[in-house]
């Protein structure tokens, strides 16, 4: 099935409602066992998108890497925000996503009037005016741009981290579940870059004592929908 290119449809509707600056947000790293959760923010205006732009997950690694510098020059503005593994543990994923998103938005050189957020859940909230769009990373140009820029940047961070921890395969798995990653965890345990409250720790008898809980009432450990393929 051919990929349908993203459009400015949602952005145009927000502009008709009075928003002059519309920013697209997308996250990467939500389901990883290691590394930060990263949120990309991109302002694109209404210009025609570079050829081949779509959700980063639908692009090959080579295509993403080739497209990212093109996007960086093409967008009106973009920024990235991160929440560390420790912040993911301490805050929970929803709050960590919000923290990363706020950091990205505050790093932008322009102040947005409205935000298009990929997905159905608004993890950002006020004071921003938020429009959630399911599969917005495929359908909205500014969200697609944020998706690619965030994915390529975080993958690069994890590849660099992999040089210090070669047994975990971070350059290939970006901190997500993989056979190599699982084997290294079983043998060597989690590093300082792992999320220690995640459910994968329950499957590591040798290292289970390192698992972290939540100290704040009402915070829930990474749930099944936040952690991809957690079982061993």
């Amino acid at each position: 099935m051919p990929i349908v290119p993203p459009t400015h449809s949602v952005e145009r509707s927000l502009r008709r409602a009075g928003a002059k600056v519309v920013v697209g947000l997308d996250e990467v790293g939500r389901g990883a066992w290691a590394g930060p959760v990263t949120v990309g923010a991109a302002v694109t205006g209404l210009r025609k998108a570079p050829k081949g732009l779509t959700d980063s997950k639908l692009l090959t690694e080579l295509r993403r890497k080739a497209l990212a510098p093109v996007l960086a020059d093409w967008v009106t503005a973009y920024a990235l925000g991160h929440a560390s593994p420790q912040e993911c543990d301490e805050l929970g994923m929803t709050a960590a996503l919000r923290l990363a998103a706020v950091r990205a938005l505050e790093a932008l050189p322009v102040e947005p009037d409205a935000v298009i957020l990929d997905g159905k859940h608004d993890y950002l909230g006020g004071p921003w005016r938020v429009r959630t769009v399911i599969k917005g990373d495929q359908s909205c140009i500014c969200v697609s741009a944020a998706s690619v820029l965030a994915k390529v940047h975080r993958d690069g961070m994890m590849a660099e981290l992999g040089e210090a921890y070669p047994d975990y395969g971070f350059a290939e798995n970006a901190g997500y579940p993989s056979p190599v990653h699982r084997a290294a965890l079983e043998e060597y345990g989690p590093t300082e870059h792992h999320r220690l409250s995640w459910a994968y720790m329950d499957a590591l008898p040798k290292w289970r004592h390192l698992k972290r809980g939540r100290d704040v009432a009402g915070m829930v450990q990474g749930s099944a929908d936040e952690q991809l393929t957690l079982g061993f």
Side-chain angles (χ1 to χ4, degrees):
M1 181 181 296
I3 296 174
V4 178
T7 70
H8 289 300
S9 177
V10 176
E11 185 170 335
R12 290 182 190 279
S13 72
L14 290 169
R15 282 172 170 256
R16 287 194 294 269
K20 294 182 179 180
V21 178
V22 179
V23 60
L25 289 186
D26 196 27
E27 59 79 20
V28 60
R30 180 198 296 251
W33 290 346
V37 63
T38 298
V39 173
V43 180
T44 63
L46 297 177
R47 289 169 297 152
K48 183 178 179 181
K51 185 178 180 180
L53 177 63
T54 187
D55 172 17
S56 64
K57 295 185 294 295
L58 300 179
L59 298 172
T60 65
E61 181 182 2
L62 287 176
R63 180 57 185 152
R64 283 195 302 268
K65 287 183 175 180
L67 189 56
V70 175
L71 288 172
D73 289 337
W74 172 78
V75 297
T76 302
Y78 81 95
L80 301 168
H82 310 281
S84 70
Q86 292 73 30
E87 288 170 330
C88 292
D89 284 332
E90 293 167 4
L91 301 174
M93 182 48 66
T94 298
L97 278 169
R98 186 179 193 278
L99 179 61
V102 169
R103 286 169 173 166
L105 289 170
E106 290 181 343
L108 286 171
V110 292
E111 184 174 348
D113 300 307
V115 174
I116 303 176
L117 186 62
D118 178 56
K120 62 181 179 180
H121 299 299
D122 178 8
Y123 58 76
L124 180 61
W128 292 274
R129 177 182 174 189
V130 178
R131 172 79 64 86
T132 58
V133 179
I134 296 173
K135 294 188 177 180
D137 47 9
Q138 296 181 34
S139 61
C140 301
I141 286 175
C142 59
V143 181
S144 294
S147 169
V148 173
L149 289 166
K151 171 68 173 168
V152 171
H153 182 83
R154 185 182 182 278
D155 283 357
M157 291 175 63
M158 295 307 296
E160 185 174 334
L161 188 61
E163 295 178 6
Y165 299 92
D167 295 304
Y168 294 82
F170 290 150
E172 293 75 34
N173 59 48
Y176 282 84
S178 76
V180 169
H181 195 172
R182 291 168 178 156
L185 281 166
E186 289 178 335
E187 179 69 20
Y188 307 110
T191 72
E192 62 182 311
H193 303 283
H194 280 85
R195 303 171 190 177
L196 299 182
S197 63
W198 255 231
Y200 74 86
M201 291 292 293
D202 293 330
L204 300 172
K206 185 178 177 181
W207 309 101
R208 196 178 296 151
H209 63 285
L210 297 175
K211 184 175 180 180
R212 291 193 56 183
R214 291 281 149 71
D215 296 327
V216 181
M219 294 220 175
V220 181
Q221 293 184 6
S223 61
D225 62 339
E226 292 172 341
Q227 305 174 48
L228 307 180
T229 320
L230 292 179
F232 279 76

